[in-house]
Amino acid sequence: MTVSAFFLHTFVSSPAHAVLGSRNLSSPSPIRKLFFFPVSPSLLFIVFVFQPYPSTETPLSPSNLDGPPAPESLAPVPFLPSSMAVSPHAFPPRKRRPPAGAFVSPRLSDVELVQTLIHLSQEIASLRPFQYLLRSCSLSIVRKVNLLAVLFEELLRRPTSYCSPSAVLCLEEMYILLQRIKTLIEDCCNGSKMWLLLQVELVSDSFRELNADLTTLLDVFPVREAQLSDDVEELVALIKNQRSRAGARADPRDDDLRRDVLAILDGIEREVVPDQAKLAAVFESLGLRDSSSCREEMESLEEEVQNQSDEKGKSQAIALIGLVRLAKFVLYGGSTPPKPPAEFRRRKSASSLAIPADFRCPITLDLMRDPVVVETGQTYDRESITLWIQSGHNTCPKTGQALAHTNLIPNRALKNLISLWCREQRIPFEASGDAATARGGARSKGAIGATKMTVSFLLRKLSGGPPAEVADGVVYELRELAKSDSESRACIAEAGAIPHLVRYLGSDVASECPTLQVNAITTMLNLSILEANKARIMETDGALNGVIEVLRSGATWEAKGNAAATIFSLSSVHSCMKRLGRKTRVVKGLMDLARDGHGSARRDALAAILNLAGDREAVASLLEGGMVEMVCGVMESLQDEAVTILEAVVKRGGLVAVMAAFGAIRKLSTVLREGSERARESAAATLVMICRKGGSDAVAQLATMPGIERVIWELMGTGTVRAKRKAGSLLRILRRWAAGLDCDMADSGDTTNATTSTTTTTRIMLPS
């Protein structure tokens, strides 16, 4: 038995990546085992164990050798079937460049390995070199890989030429190297140009390391044993001789461009407006030549924010977003507002896809970033429900039920589902939990300064009374900016944008340019999300009247729905709720929209009505406006919302509400039988209040419903905890009525009245 060893330069940047463990070779060769030991970040100690003939000697193991043992946990693990060549498309898409240790040599036969290398090298050769940054680096390595394809094709024509273990080992390491090259090029092409510019030195170093690793592999490849043709041998020598070119530093033009961008960001932090000519030159050099390319760049930077794990990286990426947004407005005049679709949906996601209903917060109707569960079992976005509770509410917004406590329990299962959906739809998702913390906490002075400059630039355009088409584009940009984060909402409102928006809420504007009214009311809605902006909107002359005018006579259903959503947002503050509830035009506008609207506009109106129902004075206005009749009319199509509103009104409206709700008893009994779990719970609670306050007439009307006792028994067995409790109370009321006793009894929990002298144990047969 013979042991030989030699040193090989590794292809990784840290010693941890170089620990490859040991490998058994199954090919007919005197080399039976290889051991790998890291010596330095760039040097690998390889031990060959020769055992040409069967022997009775003790098998050699790492413990028999000098040096540190190779951990077994780091031994190569097969991850691909050995009966097929590996296609590069088998690798899942990656958002970030993985470390070198993420790639493992495939367990393939010799022929399959060479076929895979040919396919992989062709994939890399088909990639286009970079157009604006690192052009020479990418072009050099793509050319080398293209030449390597000739070597692999030559080996495939002569299968016996690479049967030696050393050749196979080199080809396996070549597979890992090509995967690293392909991944680096794809990530650079698909990522943000601005971010790549800031990281140009690091990426340039990565290309140099890959070039050096490729040259090292060709140095140790047994060219003579492979019996290659003279032309292919010369080609391999040519690739190895290009080492000097690969050692060149980054392009000086890239370095100059990087310094220019950093200087602009530094000036913005000091509130110095960047020179427009200098800004145009930078963006021209990066290929950002119109508003569309700038928008794509901002989306790439948004993804980069999510990819960064440290606050400094996030802060840099967010500052770049602000710079690109500013340049988009200053250089290219912003974006052309998209034409409204036939069926409107408020606040579309980044991918313009409908958000699943279970993923939307019941308060804001927007995608939940950090879903939490309250005491009633309902799920809300943490930021929204926190603001709801902090504004003085002690009830569940969805059910109207009083909260026994305000503890918020994270709904991690739903959060994971939302995260997966966002990843599939390519929507940025703040996985850290609180969206405001994940994004806002990393904002730098440069990002805030760029936002202020952008808002100032846009408002200057509006101050001169521009034509409707120009104003539409400016307001659309304000709408998009107000949707991004809390700091942007604060900057827009503090700069005095609300009075400008009020001018575009009138019906005269809607008749000339309907999209301008839609963009103005949507911007107002986005601004109202910030708590401090609610008071600004309510105090601005004409703002509330403008919102009400859009609610009642908006040009589109989208405009009306967003006006209702704005009222919903404003009414989360108790003082605003009381003021809005006293306005007859608000109540009537919401009623009409809930009854006659389309799509999400009806839900927005019902959500606003439910908010207003939290105030007793507002309930009186709702009853005068015919709220019960409206709710009964929409109960079939929007059952959960309608029953929840009816419960809230009956609870706070007194005898007037109970008398008005008599006509809804039949509808509520139908919901009790066929409704959803939440609707059945609310229907049972509403019927209990109607029967207690409405007396024998209400109970008699409920008792005439077919099969009502069986329905109540089913709810007691299958409903929620609260539904079971309310069903028990309802059954006791019906039994007391059937026995001729007073049905207006005070129910305390699930126990019967202790003062009752007669206990009914016989089953009372109710009308069926």
Side-chain angles (χ1 to χ4, degrees):
M1 181 178 298
T2 306
V3 177
S4 298
F6 69 97
F7 291 89
L8 177 65
H9 285 281
T10 59
F11 324 117
V12 294
S13 58
S14 73
H17 293 156
V19 182
L20 302 180
S22 62
R23 177 173 303 171
N24 291 309
L25 300 179
S26 57
S27 58
S29 165
I31 299 180
R32 287 298 180 226
K33 202 172 188 65
L34 299 177
F35 295 99
F36 307 87
F37 303 95
V39 178
S40 71
S42 61
L43 200 61
L44 189 66
F45 185 68
I46 302 182
V47 178
F48 291 83
V49 180
F50 295 85
Q51 188 174 354
Y53 303 105
S55 173
T56 59
E57 297 177 7
T58 303
L60 203 61
S61 66
S63 61
N64 301 128
L65 298 174
D66 295 330
E72 294 200 43
S73 60
L74 296 173
V77 178
F79 64 99
L80 291 169
S82 58
S83 59
M84 57 178 293
V86 181
S87 169
H89 295 296
F91 286 82
R94 294 172 294 272
K95 292 179 65 176
R96 303 297 305 144
R97 289 186 293 276
F103 297 109
V104 181
S105 300
R107 300 288 293 270
L108 301 174
S109 67
D110 298 346
V111 175
E112 291 170 344
L113 177 59
V114 175
Q115 290 175 342
T116 301
L117 289 172
I118 292 175
H119 186 69
L120 186 56
S121 60
Q122 291 173 347
E123 288 278 337
I124 297 173
S126 65
L127 298 176
R128 296 179 59 185
F130 303 158
Q131 295 183 356
Y132 306 106
L133 296 172
L134 299 166
R135 181 173 176 82
S136 59
C137 294
S138 61
L139 185 60
S140 171
I141 203 161
V142 168
R143 285 175 176 172
K144 287 185 177 182
V145 174
N146 194 17
L147 295 176
L148 280 178
V150 179
L151 169 63
F152 299 144
E153 290 173 356
E154 175 77 6
L155 294 176
L156 187 62
R157 286 193 294 268
R158 303 182 180 185
T160 59
S161 62
Y162 54 89
C163 60
S164 67
S166 57
V168 173
L169 177 61
C170 287
L171 294 178
E172 289 179 349
E173 300 302 327
M174 186 73 73
Y175 171 86
I176 297 176
L177 179 63
L178 293 183
Q179 286 288 4
R180 291 170 56 199
I181 293 173
K182 182 173 181 286
T183 302
L184 179 60
I185 295 176
E186 286 180 341
D187 285 350
C188 291
C189 290
N190 299 331
S192 162
K193 297 174 182 176
M194 278 285 185
W195 185 257
L196 180 62
L197 178 61
L198 292 190
Q199 309 296 323
V200 68
E201 291 184 358
L202 295 176
V203 179
S204 179
D205 289 341
S206 298
F207 274 109
R208 285 199 304 276
E209 290 175 4
L210 292 173
N211 271 294
D213 295 345
L214 179 59
T215 304
T216 303
L217 268 180
L218 293 177
D219 285 339
V220 299
F221 184 78
V223 177
R224 297 189 180 279
E225 295 179 11
Q227 301 176 1
L228 301 176
S229 63
D230 295 339
D231 293 339
V232 175
E233 284 192 18
E234 292 179 1
L235 187 63
V236 173
L238 175 64
I239 298 175
K240 291 191 291 185
N241 290 335
Q242 292 180 348
R243 184 196 302 264
S244 58
R245 292 188 182 181
R249 302 292 299 177
D251 193 323
R253 291 176 297 180
D254 295 346
D255 287 334
D256 294 340
L257 193 59
R258 177 174 175 271
R259 283 192 289 269
D260 290 341
V261 171
L262 291 176
I264 292 175
L265 290 175
D266 182 65
I268 291 176
E269 286 187 8
R270 293 182 283 107
E271 299 185 359
V272 177
V273 179
D275 180 70
Q276 186 169 343
K278 190 73 171 178
L279 200 62
V282 169
F283 275 67
E284 176 70 23
S285 300
L286 292 175
L288 304 175
R289 295 167 178 155
D290 51 35
S291 60
S292 177
S293 61
C294 288
R295 182 171 297 278
E296 293 177 1
E297 176 66 14
M298 285 193 293
E299 291 177 358
S300 299
L301 286 169
E302 288 278 359
E303 185 176 351
E304 197 63 48
V305 172
Q306 313 309 320
N307 292 333
Q308 295 302 310
S309 57
D310 61 300
E311 290 300 314
K312 182 179 179 181
K314 287 186 177 184
S315 178
Q316 287 181 337
I318 293 174
L320 289 174
I321 293 175
L323 174 61
V324 175
R325 182 184 287 118
L326 174 63
K328 179 165 72 80
F329 300 145
V330 174
L331 300 179
Y332 311 120
S335 307
T336 302
K339 295 182 179 180
E343 179 66 23
F344 297 106
R345 185 174 295 272
R346 181 173 58 86
R347 300 190 70 189
K348 291 186 177 180
S349 63
S351 59
S352 300
L353 295 176
I355 300 174
D358 292 336
F359 294 172
R360 300 199 308 172
C361 175
I363 297 177
T364 63
L365 301 181
D366 204 356
L367 181 70
M368 288 188 283
R369 303 289 180 174
D370 187 13
V372 293
V373 181
V374 298
E375 185 263 339
T376 59
Q378 304 298 331
T379 299
Y380 303 92
D381 193 48
R382 182 184 294 274
E383 182 179 9
S384 303
I385 191 63
T386 300
L387 291 175
W388 170 269
I389 294 172
Q390 290 176 351
S391 61
H393 295 87
N394 63 346
T395 58
C396 175
K398 201 170 184 180
T399 65
Q401 181 183 358
L403 297 174
H405 58 79
T406 57
N407 296 336
L408 303 178
I409 303 173
N411 191 338
R412 292 187 175 87
L414 179 59
K415 183 176 179 179
N416 291 335
L417 291 175
I418 295 174
S419 177
L420 290 174
W421 181 81
C422 288
R423 193 176 305 166
E424 292 174 356
Q425 306 300 333
R426 298 182 63 82
I427 300 176
F429 180 76
E430 290 83 358
S432 60
D434 190 350
T437 301
R439 167 185 291 232
R443 289 179 66 86
S444 63
K445 291 182 179 179
I448 297 175
T451 300
K452 290 181 178 179
M453 291 180 186
T454 301
V455 173
S456 177
F457 177 81
L458 293 174
L459 294 184
R460 282 200 303 270
K461 277 193 166 186
L462 288 179
S463 60
E469 293 77 9
V470 177
D472 189 24
V474 175
V475 175
Y476 174 77
E477 296 298 344
L478 287 173
R479 167 185 175 174
E480 292 295 298
L481 186 58
K483 187 173 65 174
S484 59
D485 51 58
S486 298
E487 285 79 3
S488 297
R489 298 182 191 110
C491 289
I492 293 172
E494 291 169 359
I498 296 176
H500 290 283
L501 297 173
V502 171
R503 300 205 310 262
Y504 303 112
L505 298 178
S507 56
D508 54 335
V509 173
S511 59
E512 180 183 358
C513 185
T515 57
L516 178 54
Q517 186 189 59
V518 172
N519 289 325
I521 189 62
T522 308
T523 306
M524 197 78 78
L525 167 62
N526 293 337
L527 293 177
S528 70
I529 296 174
L530 186 66
E531 195 72 13
N533 287 345
K534 299 183 193 298
R536 291 190 178 103
I537 294 174
M538 296 295 290
E539 294 168 1
T540 300
D541 292 338
L544 183 57
N545 288 332
V547 173
I548 296 173
E549 183 175 357
V550 177
L551 174 67
R552 300 197 62 185
S553 58
T556 64
W557 290 118
E558 183 185 22
K560 292 182 176 182
N562 287 347
T566 304
I567 293 174
F568 168 83
S569 177
L570 295 173
S571 62
S572 64
V573 177
H574 187 70
S575 59
C576 299
M577 179 201 304
K578 296 179 71 68
R579 182 177 171 185
L580 291 167
R582 289 195 296 264
K583 290 186 174 293
T584 306
R585 292 193 303 155
V586 172
V587 173
K588 190 175 188 309
L590 292 174
M591 295 284 192
D592 293 341
L593 183 59
R595 182 172 47 247
D596 305 324
H598 291 277
S600 62
R602 300 177 70 192
R603 295 183 183 273
D604 291 332
L606 290 174
I609 292 173
L610 179 59
N611 246 15
L612 295 180
D615 180 65
R616 293 186 182 277
E617 295 181 10
V619 168
S621 300
L622 292 172
L623 291 172
E624 291 176 4
M627 190 278 305
V628 175
E629 292 78 6
M630 181 274 297
V631 165
C632 291
V634 303
M635 195 171 291
E636 291 184 4
S637 56
L638 297 171
Q639 189 180 84
D640 290 356
E641 293 85 349
V643 177
T644 303
I645 291 173
L646 189 58
E647 179 189 358
V649 170
V650 171
K651 180 179 180 180
R652 298 179 179 86
L655 291 177
V656 177
V658 172
M659 297 302 296
F662 260 55
I665 291 178
R666 182 175 295 275
K667 291 270 189 181
L668 290 172
S669 64
T670 302
V671 174
L672 209 61
R673 180 184 297 107
E674 303 172 355
S676 65
E677 187 178 78
R678 183 166 71 90
R680 295 170 72 194
E681 176 185 316
S682 294
T686 307
L687 286 172
V688 168
M689 289 186 287
I690 293 175
C691 291
R692 284 179 182 163
K693 299 177 182 179
S696 300
D697 293 340
V699 182
Q701 185 174 348
L702 177 62
T704 59
M705 299 295 106
I708 188 63
E709 185 184 15
R710 178 180 56 82
V711 172
I712 294 174
W713 275 103
E714 288 179 356
L715 186 59
M716 291 176 64
T718 62
T720 63
V721 175
R722 180 172 180 251
K724 292 177 181 178
R725 188 172 67 250
K726 296 298 180 181
S729 300
L730 199 58
L731 185 61
R732 281 191 295 275
I733 292 174
L734 287 172
R735 285 184 169 182
R736 289 178 62 83
W737 171 83
L741 301 176
D742 183 15
C743 61
D744 186 14
M745 55 177 282
D747 181 61
S748 58
D750 296 328
T751 61
T752 56
N753 195 326
T755 62
T756 303
S757 58
T758 304
T759 302
T760 303
T761 57
T762 307
R763 181 180 176 85
I764 305 298
M765 299 301 297
L766 300 175
S768 61

